[in-house]
Amino acid sequence: MPKHFLPGYSLVTLFTLICCISVNSLLGQDVVLQGQVSVDGFDPNTTHITGNLTFKPGGSFPITDISNLSNLEYIGGSLTIERTDLVNLDAFSKLDSIGADLVIFSNRHLKHINGFSNLQMIGEDVIMYANDSLEQI
């Protein structure tokens, strides 16, 4: 008689359950978005990233719109926003937690960071510099 780890569940069923638990999560991955094209290709249904999330220059078009990330609630690692052409960070209005650092630097058009209104926890440091147009925090 075959032995089952959990009565009534086959190994295939358990594997399927484990793989589908976090359909809207990027588990154990760092996400680097370079240029607007890579941001536009980001799955807008993603709510959790367990690794780091980094925005940085690259590609043909600078990053000007991050609305594809408006459902993001959790980042397990650091959030780094580096040398973009963003004016605001309103797309992060659902973001509740950053597990490590929040780093925002050299964003010449960034005027405010009000988009972090729902942020409850930053696990480590907040580092901000060279955001020359920043009007308010």
Side-chain angles (χ1 to χ4, degrees):
M1 177 177 245
K3 293 183 180 181
H4 293 284
F5 295 106
L6 292 173
Y9 292 97
S10 71
L11 288 177
V12 171
T13 302
L14 288 174
F15 179 76
T16 302
L17 285 171
I18 290 167
C19 288
C20 295
I21 286 173
S22 297
V23 170
N24 295 325
S25 296
L26 296 172
L27 299 175
Q29 296 182 37
D30 289 340
V31 176
V32 178
L33 300 174
Q34 290 186 274
Q36 189 61 49
V37 173
S38 66
V39 174
D40 292 344
F42 187 83
D43 180 359
N45 296 312
T46 302
T47 59
H48 291 73
I49 295 173
T50 59
N52 299 313
L53 173 59
T54 302
F55 296 91
K56 60 194 236 178
S60 300
F61 302 100
I63 296 173
T64 59
D65 175 22
I66 56 172
S67 59
N68 270 9
L69 288 97
S70 63
N71 285 316
L72 199 57
E73 299 171 4
Y74 172 84
I75 299 170
S78 294
L79 170 58
T80 302
I81 304 168
E82 164 191 347
R83 296 181 302 179
T84 70
D85 283 355
L86 294 169
V87 174
N88 64 59
L89 301 176
D90 293 347
F92 291 117
S93 64
K94 292 183 181 178
L95 187 63
D96 178 66
S97 178
I98 298 171
D101 297 323
L102 171 60
V103 182
I104 303 172
F105 70 95
S106 297
N107 297 282
R108 64 184 175 184
H109 300 293
L110 189 62
K111 292 188 182 215
H112 65 84
I113 59 170
N114 297 346
F116 292 115
S117 59
N118 197 42
L119 191 59
Q120 301 295 314
M121 190 208 55
I122 299 172
E124 293 181 23
D125 297 321
V126 175
I127 303 165
M128 294 177 44
Y129 61 93
N131 299 296
D132 298 335
S133 296
L134 195 60
E135 296 171 357
Q136 61 182 0
I137 296 178

